[in-house]
Amino acid sequence: KFYDQLTFPINNDYGDVVGFSARILRADDKRGKYINTSDTPLFNKSKLLFALDKARRSMGKEKFALICEGQVDAIVLHECGFENTIAPLGTAFTEEHASMINRYTDRVVLCYDGDNAGLAAADKAFKQLTATGLPVKLMHLPDGDDPDTFIKTHGPEKFRTLLESAKDYF
């Protein structure tokens, strides 16, 4: 079953590989959408953000962090020039995640999937982020789209237009 998953190295914010995550490609697979390295002293998904090591400088330059749901979305966004993009490792967004982001920037735009699960995950992230004092905006993707599918269908410029029109969370 070598070809039924994409595997990504997970780095800490300094760029050291501390674990791995895999995106399951088969819809009939009984495992979750993503599988991660088991927790270790170095790998704790509640304290790591995918692509933070690559995004932290851009987050400072752009003056905001763009947060999406998964690694594939983050990779596609980086490839399209949105280098301030990061993603949690799973649906849980923690107080530790918010504190890490607060060290590198002072604003956040959430770009979660345009479905009920994405909106629910955005609500949870919003609560953690605002508790640290970070202002949060929400980017609305069409229902059923995620950043990857939206860019493949509409292109990076339309994505940028949506990003620029992100509204305050409420």
Side-chain angles (χ1 to χ4, degrees):
K1 305 287 181 171
F2 179 70
Y3 296 105
D4 68 348
Q5 66 189 36
L6 295 172
T7 303
F8 311 97
I10 303 300
N11 301 338
N12 63 19
D13 48 341
Y14 300 106
D16 302 320
V17 175
V18 294
F20 293 91
S21 182
R23 169 68 164 92
I24 304 303
L25 300 175
R26 292 178 25 179
D28 64 343
D29 199 305
K30 303 284 187 251
R31 297 173 288 181
K33 195 187 234 185
Y34 286 92
I35 359 177
N36 296 304
T37 296
S38 298
D39 280 353
T40 69
L42 292 177
F43 183 89
N44 181 332
K45 71 180 188 173
S46 297
K47 297 179 181 178
L48 294 166
L49 290 161
F50 183 75
L52 180 60
D53 60 315
K54 306 209 178 1
R56 62 189 184 141
R57 284 189 182 91
S58 184
M59 287 165 47
K61 181 178 147 197
E62 296 291 330
K63 307 223 183 297
F64 74 97
L66 179 60
I67 303 174
C68 60
E69 278 186 72
Q71 292 95 320
V72 172
D73 292 329
I75 290 167
V76 167
L77 289 168
H78 273 260
E79 287 177 347
C80 291
F82 301 96
E83 295 176 357
N84 55 333
T85 304
I86 55 178
L89 302 173
T91 57
F93 192 92
T94 67
E95 181 181 330
E96 289 88 353
H97 290 141
S99 293
M100 290 172 69
I101 293 166
N102 205 11
R103 282 188 292 214
Y104 297 108
T105 192
D106 56 3
R107 290 185 311 129
V108 171
V109 175
L110 295 174
C111 181
Y112 280 33
D113 297 359
D115 57 18
N116 288 337
L119 292 174
D123 280 343
K124 291 176 186 172
F126 170 78
K127 290 174 187 169
Q128 296 296 336
L129 291 161
T130 55
T132 67
L134 286 166
V136 179
K137 290 189 174 195
L138 181 64
M139 219 177 125
H140 287 286
L141 292 175
D143 191 24
D145 264 337
D146 59 30
D148 174 39
T149 59
F150 185 88
I151 285 177
K152 285 178 181 170
T153 305
H154 304 286
E157 286 312 311
K158 290 245 187 206
F159 184 87
R160 184 171 302 284
T161 300
L162 272 183
L163 175 59
E164 290 169 354
S165 67
K167 304 280 187 234
D168 288 334
Y169 199 80
F170 289 108

